[in-house]
DNA sequence: ACAAAAGTGTTTGCCTTACACCCATGA
DNA sequence: TCATGGGTGTAAGGCAAACACTTTTGT
């Protein structure tokens, strides 16, 4: 599988190429202007936004399918990507909702049959650098956009539940996930890093304690540069020590307590 | 789906009943004589042990499939069961290994085709009370047995990796899992409870500190009974306060730090 | 000079760790 | 009475929470 095809192709030709009844959905997270954001897509013929997703080709590992979706949507490769849950309940996608989708695309019910079956969705979340991502869509029939994690619109099927599950997984595992390293550019400020943790944990973190904790772990290196940022003291710039972060995830070292 | 059928039926008639390319594998954990144990099965015609597993019927939620497997193997219902990971890499089951399996069961290749395809396995782990479990097998063609978690024999396909992943998931989440409540009988001693945590964390825990910590959380009630246990002081019996434990899992309260 | 936000230091209290001591039981 | 293992107490150290104070910058 090289490139994602337009959905009308995929939907009615899919039954030979893909593993039936299995899909992949991606929570793609980025950080911009102090906000944690999710990438969502929408078919123009549809009203509801949905998670970028796809199917697992017969010659693909599920991880590869997710990476293909990610590359197709953002142009990015080598991204941080982890499975977090699967969603397979019978009623998870409304029957009408799906039939409606086929109708809007003018796909005959028999050809689209494999699509209206129940699907088991493999949930992945991914952390990317917002400013490196492009938004690829086929502008004829779809749109894409970043949404503040706290302002998600009404979504297709159980996709809101999938996002909630992803977020609570990340919240529980925050100590083992190199959030900052994956979401921030090479050089970043301490308030930016803190902002990410605040967005995920959903509460304020003491500025002073956060800074001390982060620096004490030894994964962050202060640079002798600052960044101008308005009518106040310019914050220092920092950078991650990559090797240390890799260790942290591998051996499960506590990067940050979740008891802030 | 009421009852698991013998594998020769399942394997060659399965293609109509089950969702193709999807399976369910269960790590069933029990605690006996101070040891954490896993339930494994083996077809008599096969050399390798494997995880108890099954397929997802077209009218089942995956959770229900796992519960059906569990009930079929142990007779237990209402057990603690959680998904923890999925395994779907192309090469995860050796092609020969599977072809071999069909041959041993005298199933024609075309009929068993759906089985030798690549499968995406949904991984579940389950905590049960060892002494309440029976071991159901069809003695004609299979066997089942409990294995010490540290003495797993050579397993079919990637099942060892699945167990390892389950254990490391449990280890990371130990603070949120009511291990003791699910694995121990109603009345238990503090050394027994500690033993479980030691088995999972793979190291010794200070007897005195463990006891104080457990009691301080308030989920455990001391009973005014002891249990005779050899040439030394009889340990107290304790019991869990069920409601408190339910809260713990729901709201993610730290039952136990993993920094022992 | 002042407001706003960043950086540094200090105090307090709790939790973990380590370990000393006592108790109960069977050989 | 001794070995074995369970139960209670305590002291030391480390970490986190709260907060005071200093620094920098634009208006």
């Amino acid at each position: 599988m090289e490139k994602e095809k337009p959905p009308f192709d995929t939907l009615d030709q899919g039954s030979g190429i893909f593993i039936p009844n299995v899909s992949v959905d991606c929570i793609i997270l980025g950080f911009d202007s102090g906000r944690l954001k999710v990438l969502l897509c929408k078919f123009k013929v549809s009203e509801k936004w949905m998670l970028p997703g796809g199917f697992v080709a017969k010659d693909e590992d599920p991880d590869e399918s997710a990476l293909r979706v990610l590359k197709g949507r953002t142009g990015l490769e080598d991204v941080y990507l982890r499975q977090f849950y699967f969603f397979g309940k019978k009623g998870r996608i409304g029957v009408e909702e799906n039939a409606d989708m086929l109708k809007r695309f003018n796909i005959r019910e028999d050809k689209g049959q494999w699509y209206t079956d129940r699907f088991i969705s493999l949930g992945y979340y991914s952390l990317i650098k917002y400013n490196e991502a492009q938004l690829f869509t086929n502008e004829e029939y779809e749109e894409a956009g970043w949404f503040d994690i706290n302002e998600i619109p009404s979504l297709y099927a159980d996709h809101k539940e999938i996002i909630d599950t992803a977020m609570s997984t990340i919240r529980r595992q925050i100590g083992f996930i190199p959030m900052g390293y994956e979401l921030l550019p090479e050089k970043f400020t301490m308030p930016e890093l803190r902002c990410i943790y605040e967005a995920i944990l959903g509460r304020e973190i003491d500025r002073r304690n956060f800074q001390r904790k982060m620096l004490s772990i030894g994964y962050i290196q202060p640079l002798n540069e600052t960044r101008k940022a308005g009518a106040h003291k310019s914050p220092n710039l920092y950078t991650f020590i990559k090797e240390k972060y890799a260790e942290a995830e591998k051996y499960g070292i506590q990067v940050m307590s979740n008891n802030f």
Side-chain angles (χ1 to χ4, degrees), chain A residues 10-11 14-15 18-25 54-56 86-94 98 102 112-122 156-159 162:
Chain A
T10 307
L11 291 190
S15 64
F18 300 112
I19 289 184
N21 305 289
V22 175
S23 62
V24 160
D25 284 306
F55 305 101
V56 180
F86 53 83
F87 303 84
K89 286 200 200 310
K90 277 170 294 175
R92 60 176 288 266
I93 298 176
N98 250 351
L102 288 180
Q113 166 66 39
W114 74 281
Y115 181 73
T116 53
D117 265 10
R118 184 246 307 241
F119 267 78
I120 293 175
S121 168
L122 308 178
Y156 169 75
D158 59 352
H159 284 196
I162 295 181

Side-chain angles (χ1 to χ4, degrees), chain A residues 176-221:
Chain A
F176 302 87
I177 301 174
M179 297 295 306
Y181 182 73
E182 301 297 341
L183 289 171
L184 293 172
E186 204 187 324
K187 298 176 179 187
F188 60 93
T189 68
M190 200 55 85
E192 283 171 340
L193 182 59
R194 179 167 45 88
C195 212
I196 290 176
Y197 283 89
E198 288 182 331
I200 288 165
L201 297 177
R203 64 195 158 82
E204 290 202 348
I205 298 170
D206 185 280
R207 188 172 58 81
R208 286 88 36 117
N209 294 333
F210 180 85
Q211 175 135 350
R212 186 159 358 94
K213 180 69 189 288
M214 276 317 213
L215 290 174
S216 76
I217 300 166
Y219 298 154
I220 292 174
Q221 197 165 33

